[in-house]
């Protein structure tokens, strides 16, 4: 699901991939549903490729968002998380093993912003169904 959700450098918010061509992609804003082109010169990142540093293996963003949704199903009031201590508290509640030295406060703010946009847009499941079921099948 997160493979088609994009962050575009220099543009606010998140975008859903609609279609793509040779040097351009058409995206739709999750905030206002407006469609716009994104060019090959733009830095485009799929949320499916993002991971959060932990003290062990990096954690895929989808798993972190799942944990955040389990704890905050209505979204997060970003105004409550302005101080460094509050940001660290939020991150510890969602991902206790996050690497405090490599995950910056700006990264946590971006995570909260992305989470709120996704929840407001109606996304409530972040891990792909096959990915979620695969570990359970391996344990059998």
């Amino acid at each position: 699901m997160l493979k088609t959700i994009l962050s575009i450098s220099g543009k606010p918010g998140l975008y859903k991939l609609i279609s793509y061509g040779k040097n351009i992609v058409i995206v739709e804003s999750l905030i206002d549903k407006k469609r716009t082109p994104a060019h090959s010169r733009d830095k485009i990142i799929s949320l499916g490729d993002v991971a959060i540093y932990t003290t062990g293996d990096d954690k895929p963003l989808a798993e972190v968002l799942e944990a955040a949704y389990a704890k905050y199903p209505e979204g997060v009031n970003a105004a409550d998380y302005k101080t460094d201590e509050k940001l660290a508290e939020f991150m510890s509640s969602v991902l206790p093993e996050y690497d405090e030295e490599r995950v910056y406060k700006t990264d946590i703010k971006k995570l909260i912003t992305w989470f709120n946009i996704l929840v407001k847009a109606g996304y409530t499941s972040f891990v792909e169904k096959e990915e979620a079921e695969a570990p359970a099948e391996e344990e059998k």
Side-chain angles (χ1 to χ4, degrees), residues 68 72 74-81 90 112 115-116:
Y72 307 98
E74 300 297 319
V76 177
N77 183 1
D80 293 342
Y81 296 96
F90 167 80
I112 290 171
F115 175 68
N116 285 335

Side-chain angles (χ1 to χ4, degrees), residues 4-129:
T4 61
I5 305 298
L6 309 172
S7 172
I8 303 172
S9 182
K11 293 186 179 188
L14 293 175
Y15 298 85
K16 182 177 182 178
L17 175 66
I18 301 300
S19 67
Y20 51 92
K22 187 174 179 182
N23 292 321
I24 194 170
V25 293
I26 304 298
V27 295
E28 179 179 86
S29 171
L30 292 182
I31 297 171
D32 62 8
K33 306 294 184 210
K34 189 181 286 187
R35 291 186 178 188
T36 58
H39 302 277
S40 59
R41 68 179 176 271
D42 295 325
K43 183 177 179 185
I44 301 172
I45 299 169
S46 167
L47 295 192
D49 296 334
V50 176
I52 305 292
Y53 293 119
T54 67
T55 53
D57 291 335
D58 295 348
K59 202 61 115 167
L61 182 63
E63 292 179 24
V64 177
L65 291 171
E66 282 286 334
Y69 187 74
K71 198 155 187 72
Y72 307 98
E74 300 297 319
V76 177
N77 183 1
D80 293 342
Y81 296 96
K82 294 282 185 194
T83 65
D84 289 352
E85 295 79 25
K86 286 290 193 179
L87 290 169
E89 181 182 307
F90 167 80
M91 199 64 195
S92 293
S93 72
V94 172
L95 185 64
E97 68 273 13
Y98 85 100
D99 188 334
E100 295 179 30
E101 292 180 11
R102 296 193 297 170
V103 177
Y104 300 113
K105 303 308 177 204
T106 54
D107 298 331
I108 301 171
K109 288 178 184 178
K110 188 178 290 186
L111 173 66
I112 290 171
T113 302
W114 286 353
F115 175 68
N116 285 335
I117 291 170
L118 290 166
V119 169
K120 197 172 275 187
Y123 292 94
T124 58
S125 179
F126 304 101
V127 177
E128 296 289 332
K129 297 259 186 268

